[in-house]
Amino acid sequence: MADKRRVALITIGDSRVEFYKTRLSIVEEETKKVLSVLRKDFDVYTRDIVYDEKTAIEVAKDIRKEGIRAVLIFYPIWGTPSISMRIAQATDSPVAILGNRRTDSSSLVVMLTAAGMLDQMGKKCLRIAGDLSDPAIYKETSDYIIAASLDEEVKNSSFCMLGGRSIGIGTTVADPSQWARIFGVSFDHRDQFEIYYRAEAIDQERVDRHLAWWKDRVKIEFSGLFTPESLERQMRSYLAVKDIVEDGHYDFLGLKCQQEMSDHYALQCLAVALLNNDEDADGRKKPVPVSCECDADGALTMRILSLASGGHPSALLDIKYFSDEKKEFIIANCGSLAPYFGNPDDSRDSYSHITMMQHSFGLAGGGATQFIAHPGHVTVARLFRSNGEYVLGCFEGETEMRPIEELRKTSWCYPHAFIKADVDYDLFFRTMNSNHLHIAYGSYNEVLRLYAESRGIRFICYNR
């Protein structure tokens, strides 16, 4: 898991200092409540109460020096509204005005004034008023902090395209210059041949150790082109890509696979599944978002979802079916869903649901990981382009378990997610410009909305 995200909590005082100090008991009470809640999940940067603009400018400089993007401008009681402008200059991201609804504090009235001033000058700000011990108020605050932090976290990301456009899917190809301009992400390219020559050079003991770990956890059904030899090539491919990630210091990848690798060396499903996973034979590890078919926008969506979730795995799946009448989506990957999705709460149990079996395509041979995503609340998202401009579409829903025989109605060997969701299915059908969707466990609609807004990206929430 990543370190706690940092947030600046800056309390704004009144230029009438002596008058302000007559009400310090309310300030201290509200500050103690806010800090006790925030510090459970975040690293909170604080300063003494800011009473004037000169001090505010110094504080803003320190926040920038600390590299903090999430800034809470705190008004526990009435304070001088204009000071908030200087604190807001501490970050290029939107800020949040935080206050309470106490009748004896005058917090609401100054919040409206301060937020109004910021809005007049074009500085985006979020207004949050209430008790942070209220789950709804806390989620609103937490979503803001995560979204503001995403700006920097995504910007510091490095992407590698292994291969290129796969089987003619034009929606998977991205413009590196556009990525740099909008997201600040670096974009590299390597040929898939590097997977082959690295894979063939890997020490046999290392391969055997990872194969033994995998075989000990999942059910394996060899048949047809899925043989012990093709499974070994799949594991070698995983270890090769893992080494490429380490050597290149990449944070996320797109891997082409079809058809060069799938027909002439090994299907890359196991490599993608284990890279996206949070452990392998070496123990716990940081998931590396990897998209099939070198889907660059898909990989970026997965990176954003993974960061929003605090570093947990994300996934790419194909849209197999959706129905307004049934209020459901059936999405299935061609074979590379991270084992984590078998049961995110129980690592060992997650593997017990997986059967690795012969894939439905790939002349080089190899297996797919068949299972159904564990029931839970998920956020489903996709970055796509419309007339050259980025759009971020998302919705939230619930994954549910189905009998395994249900998979025969779509693709028997594929990992699946069955999602119940109350969305505008017609709007989704008419606007979604991708055959791929991406999921992560948790509720991140609002985080994604705030992040998209900060990047100037159109946002569509499909939930009704």
Side-chain angles (χ1 to χ4, degrees):
M1 292 293 293
D3 295 334
K4 286 184 176 181
R5 289 183 168 95
R6 303 195 72 193
V7 55
L9 178 73
I10 307 301
T11 305
I12 307 299
D14 193 329
S15 56
R16 302 167 298 175
V17 178
E18 293 306 316
F19 172 67
Y20 190 89
K21 287 182 176 179
T22 65
R23 309 176 73 209
L24 275 180
S25 59
I26 299 177
V27 175
E28 291 169 355
E29 181 183 338
E30 290 300 313
T31 301
K32 183 178 179 181
K33 283 162 52 177
V34 168
L35 286 174
S36 67
V37 175
L38 283 179
R39 282 176 171 158
K40 292 177 183 178
D41 296 315
F42 302 103
D43 178 5
V44 185
Y45 170 92
T46 60
R47 293 288 296 262
D48 292 338
I49 297 169
V50 179
Y51 289 103
D52 55 65
E53 287 200 17
K54 181 177 183 296
T55 306
I57 292 170
E58 294 171 357
V59 171
K61 287 180 180 177
D62 286 344
I63 293 172
R64 285 195 295 271
K65 188 176 179 180
E66 292 286 325
I68 301 171
R69 300 298 293 265
V71 177
L72 295 172
I73 299 174
F74 185 38
Y75 280 103
I77 62 173
W78 173 272
T80 303
S82 59
I83 297 175
S84 62
M85 179 190 74
R86 295 302 187 186
I87 301 300
Q89 291 171 336
T91 177
D92 293 331
S93 299
V95 297
I97 310 289
L98 178 64
N100 58 70
R101 295 180 180 272
R102 293 176 59 149
T103 56
D104 62 347
S105 69
S106 297
S107 178
L108 275 177
V109 64
V110 69
M111 283 184 65
L112 292 173
T113 307
M117 288 183 66
L118 294 180
D119 191 60
Q120 284 178 175
M121 59 184 273
K123 179 68 178 183
K124 291 185 172 65
C125 68
L126 183 68
R127 309 175 191 197
I128 305 172
D131 189 335
L132 279 190
S133 62
D134 179 334
I137 299 297
Y138 179 74
K139 186 176 188 308
E140 191 175 0
T141 308
S142 175
D143 285 348
Y144 160 72
I145 297 169
I146 294 170
S149 302
L150 274 178
D151 265 344
E152 195 68 17
E153 293 166 356
V154 174
K155 184 181 294 184
N156 291 334
S157 298
S158 177
F159 171 74
C160 180
M161 178 172 64
L162 277 166
R165 190 177 77 173
S166 176
I167 57 175
I169 307 176
T171 52
T172 62
V173 182
D175 176 359
S177 298
Q178 188 179 25
W179 270 25
R181 176 172 55 84
I182 297 174
F183 306 104
V185 173
S186 69
F187 197 114
D188 197 11
H189 172 260
R190 296 194 184 203
D191 195 276
Q192 290 188 105
F193 183 66
E194 187 170 348
I195 300 174
Y196 167 76
Y197 73 70
R198 281 178 178 263
E200 289 300 296
I202 291 173
D203 180 78
Q204 188 65 46
E205 185 279 330
R206 184 185 178 199
V207 176
D208 290 343
R209 179 165 54 85
H210 280 265
L211 280 172
W213 175 86
W214 182 243
K215 291 176 180 177
D216 180 56
R217 281 159 175 75
V218 307
K219 181 181 179 181
I220 295 180
E221 296 179 350
F222 290 118
S223 65
L225 294 175
F226 181 40
T227 63
E229 293 75 22
S230 63
L231 175 58
E232 178 174 323
R233 292 195 299 273
Q234 286 187 288
M235 186 60 76
R236 285 181 176 275
S237 295
Y238 163 62
L239 296 172
V241 181
K242 184 180 181 182
D243 291 347
I244 290 171
V245 169
E246 184 176 351
D247 292 349
H249 305 288
Y250 300 122
D251 298 295
F252 65 117
L253 310 173
L255 205 169
K256 182 182 180 185
C257 182
Q258 298 186 75
Q259 290 176 266
E260 297 89 347
M261 299 302 286
S262 60
D263 282 351
H264 302 291
Y265 183 64
L267 284 153
Q268 297 299 296
C269 301
L270 185 59
V272 176
L274 291 180
L275 284 158
N276 280 310
N277 203 38
D278 56 358
E279 67 173 351
D280 65 7
D282 294 327
R284 304 294 294 182
K285 69 179 186 67
K286 184 178 180 180
V288 179
V290 182
S291 63
C292 297
E293 296 163 339
C294 212
D295 185 346
D297 286 339
L300 181 53
T301 309
M302 293 166 69
R303 172 68 171 162
I304 292 169
L305 280 173
S306 183
L307 288 170
S309 73
H312 293 295
S314 54
L316 174 152
L317 300 106
D318 271 310
I319 305 166
K320 290 289 188 179
Y321 173 82
F322 57 92
S323 167
D324 191 359
E325 182 181 357
K326 295 181 178 180
K327 300 290 185 289
E328 73 171 12
F329 279 81
I330 300 174
I331 53 179
N333 184 264
C334 61
S336 57
L337 191 63
Y340 163 89
F341 285 91
N343 187 344
D345 300 318
D346 187 333
S347 173
R348 189 74 189 199
D349 178 66
S350 65
Y351 298 95
S352 68
H353 303 288
I354 298 172
T355 300
M356 195 171 188
M357 60 178 63
Q358 179 175 250
H359 215 302
S360 57
F361 63 84
L363 298 179
T369 54
Q370 183 212 60
F371 68 102
I372 298 172
H374 193 74
H377 191 86
V378 292
T379 299
V380 185
R382 173 71 193 192
L383 274 168
F384 60 90
R385 283 154 293 158
S386 176
N387 194 28
E389 300 294 326
Y390 269 99
V391 181
L392 178 54
C394 74
F395 62 89
E396 294 185 19
E398 301 288 332
T399 51
E400 64 177 23
M401 191 54 62
R402 301 275 181 90
I404 197 70
E405 289 298 313
E406 284 285 305
L407 274 57
R408 296 192 185 278
K409 298 177 181 178
T410 49
S411 300
W412 173 242
C413 65
Y414 288 14
H416 281 60
F418 296 95
I419 302 174
K420 284 290 185 181
D422 187 13
V423 307
D424 187 333
Y425 285 84
D426 185 65
L427 178 64
F428 179 88
F429 176 67
R430 298 185 186 283
T431 58
M432 176 52 62
N433 287 351
S434 174
N435 59 305
H436 294 154
L437 289 177
H438 313 280
I439 64 172
Y441 285 109
S443 173
Y444 308 112
N445 268 5
E446 184 63 10
V447 170
L448 297 181
R449 184 189 70 79
L450 291 168
Y451 173 72
E453 184 178 271
S454 74
R455 296 292 88 209
I457 297 170
R458 180 186 169 202
F459 177 78
I460 302 175
C461 178
Y462 292 106
N463 286 110
R464 294 188 194 276

